[in-house]
Amino acid sequence: MYTTLHCICLRTVRYNDSSAILSAYSRECGLMSFQISSGQSKEGRRRKALTMPLSFIECICDIRTGRDIHTIKELIPWGCNLLAINANPIKTSIAVFLAEILGIVLRDSHPDSILFDYIATGIQRLARIDQGIGNFHLSFLYGLSRFLGIEPDLGTWKQGYIFDMSEGIFRPTPPLHTHYLSPEKARTVAALAMMSERNLNMFRLNRKQRNDILDGILEYYSIHFSHISSISSIQVLRETMG
């Protein structure tokens, strides 16, 4: 049955000489996999350009029950122009990194228009900001935690408390396990909640601070999504940030 889907592209993996498998998060059906033309043909080059990480596409798909990989009949760009992302090396590395994370945490997801809109709005923000770009992925991942059901409970925060990453709460004393942040690092969790597009440039973080915060976020995500392991794009992200 042919169905029109609105999708955010996440990852493309080569399937054979003439085709590739595209993973995309759709507003209508959740995470989907499609076989698309790839290679050196005119259509293959066009589809490759349209399916860069975090690109928006509208496609007419042949959706068949029982299949894991579906076929795209028609594909056109949709939503905002991502030239501002693809032309900026830092924004591009952020897009590839976030697309990889999304491909993991959305693996077992169901259609969720509110989550889709959060991701889509975040991509649009990444495209238009010109200050505080290096903090965008930190703010985005913190905000994403709310829609994934793992947002830290800021109502439990007090000065001097540690952050229990397993429970997502702040507490006065360390738990029996080792997955917690010291009071100093716990303050950073509260600070992340205050980040927005308008104030990203106000958070003056050096390379080490930004990497430490990202490591903490990834550890937190890995506790709640056990299938998160090595993120292949993170090294490129760190190098691009400088």
Side-chain angles (χ1 to χ4, degrees):
M1 184 178 83
Y2 286 107
T3 304
T4 299
L5 301 180
H6 299 87
C7 303
I8 296 170
C9 300
L10 300 179
R11 185 186 183 195
T12 303
V13 178
R14 182 178 178 180
Y15 182 65
N16 55 36
D17 290 341
S18 60
S19 64
I21 303 300
L22 167 68
S23 294
Y25 185 61
S26 71
R27 184 182 183 91
E28 295 82 3
C29 298
L31 191 66
M32 303 284 286
S33 294
F34 306 100
Q35 185 171 350
I36 62 171
S37 299
S38 182
Q40 298 308 310
S41 67
K42 182 178 179 180
E43 179 61 16
R45 292 195 301 270
R46 185 185 81 91
R47 292 199 172 192
K48 182 177 181 180
L50 291 177
T51 55
M52 298 291 286
L54 299 192
S55 295
F56 296 92
I57 58 171
E58 178 180 291
C59 51
I60 298 176
C61 311
D62 185 6
I63 307 296
R64 300 193 182 185
T65 303
R67 286 191 177 182
D68 294 326
I69 300 175
H70 308 280
T71 303
I72 291 180
K73 181 182 179 183
E74 296 180 20
L75 184 159
I76 60 173
W78 165 76
C80 73
N81 187 329
L82 298 187
L83 179 62
I85 292 179
N86 297 329
N88 184 308
I90 295 178
K91 289 186 178 184
T92 299
S93 65
I94 290 174
V96 172
F97 170 74
L98 291 179
E100 185 175 3
I101 294 289
L102 289 168
I104 296 172
V105 301
L106 299 177
R107 187 172 297 171
D108 301 318
S109 65
H110 299 287
D112 185 334
S113 60
I114 297 176
L115 172 57
F116 183 93
D117 288 345
Y118 171 78
I119 297 171
T121 299
I123 296 168
Q124 294 165 355
R125 287 173 176 167
L126 177 60
R128 68 173 173 255
I129 61 174
D130 55 13
Q131 295 184 333
I133 299 170
N135 293 331
F136 176 84
H137 57 300
L138 305 179
S139 175
F140 179 89
L141 289 176
Y142 182 91
L144 181 64
S145 70
R146 179 182 313 121
F147 299 93
L148 298 177
I150 61 169
E151 182 182 17
D153 182 2
L154 292 179
T156 60
W157 184 80
K158 289 185 179 180
Q159 187 70 30
Y161 275 29
I162 60 96
F163 178 61
D164 183 334
M165 290 196 285
S166 291
E167 299 296 328
I169 62 173
F170 297 85
R171 51 189 298 169
T173 57
L176 296 178
H177 57 77
T178 59
H179 298 298
Y180 66 91
L181 300 177
S182 68
E184 180 181 358
K185 292 183 177 180
R187 286 199 301 270
T188 302
V189 178
L192 283 172
M194 296 186 291
M195 276 190 179
S196 68
E197 178 186 353
R198 297 176 180 176
N199 66 14
L200 286 176
N201 63 309
M202 297 177 62
F203 290 81
R204 306 291 184 177
L205 302 174
N206 59 38
R207 180 177 182 177
K208 184 179 185 308
Q209 290 171 326
R210 188 176 289 113
N211 285 339
D212 286 347
I213 293 172
L214 181 56
D215 288 342
I217 292 174
L218 291 179
E219 182 181 357
Y220 184 61
Y221 268 70
S222 69
I223 292 170
H224 299 278
F225 295 92
S226 58
H227 41 286
I228 285 186
S229 54
S230 176
I231 305 298
S232 61
S233 58
I234 191 169
Q235 188 57 39
V236 174
L237 177 68
R238 295 191 198 280
E239 292 173 356
T240 306
M241 291 291 180

